[in-house]
Every structure is written in C-alpha cells, then in structure tokens.
Amino acid sequence: MRLRDLQVGETAVVTGFEQTDPAYRGKLLAMGVTRGCIVKLVKVAPMGDPVKVEVRGYGLSLRKAEADALVVEET
C-alpha cells in the first residue's frame, strides 16, 4: 500500500521503498523515514499535493511523487 491510500489521521509502518533515485532515498533516510518507523498522515492539501506527515514526533511535508516512494502497511 502507498501513503496516499491512507486517510487523514491514520498511521502506517514503513515497510520499504519503491524504485527511486538513490539520492532521494538517502534524503528520506536522513530525515528519519526508515523501515519500521511509524508515519501518521496529518493533512492533505486541497489539490492533493503536498501531504503533511508526522514522523518520529516532527512534521514533514512531502510532494505526492515523494510520498509515492514509500511503501507502507497500515497499523
């Protein structure tokens, strides 16, 4: 499942990453988005881009294409 499949307020566990640019994946890892971490979908912009998530206690805004790089499993 993808992050975009969640409803606002739902949480999920990151289980992996789609094929993406290695530099971008490294950026996600540096921000604390790693396998096994819990992400909560906080808000979606009116046009669907960007999305705001909570990761490890802090807010993070991701563009839709960036969020699609995350493979998650609903908790």
Side-chain angles (χ1 to χ4, degrees):
M1 125 183 267
R2 300 255 170 86
L3 194 61
R4 66 178 163 189
D5 298 327
L6 296 177
Q7 298 297 316
V8 173
E10 291 183 330
T11 60
V13 176
V14 176
T15 57
F17 300 92
E18 291 289 335
Q19 292 286 6
T20 186
D21 179 27
Y24 179 67
R25 184 175 176 195
K27 182 179 173 184
L28 285 173
L29 293 170
M31 290 187 287
V33 183
T34 59
R35 280 194 179 130
C37 78
I38 296 175
V39 295
K40 178 181 179 181
L41 184 60
V42 177
K43 190 173 185 179
V44 178
M47 298 299 286
D49 197 19
V51 296
K52 182 177 181 183
V53 295
E54 186 176 295
V55 179
R56 301 183 189 272
Y58 68 91
L60 179 65
S61 291
L62 300 172
R63 289 179 281 169
K64 198 182 323 184
E66 296 170 336
D68 284 346
L70 297 175
V71 178
V72 297
E73 184 177 295
E74 194 172 355
T75 57

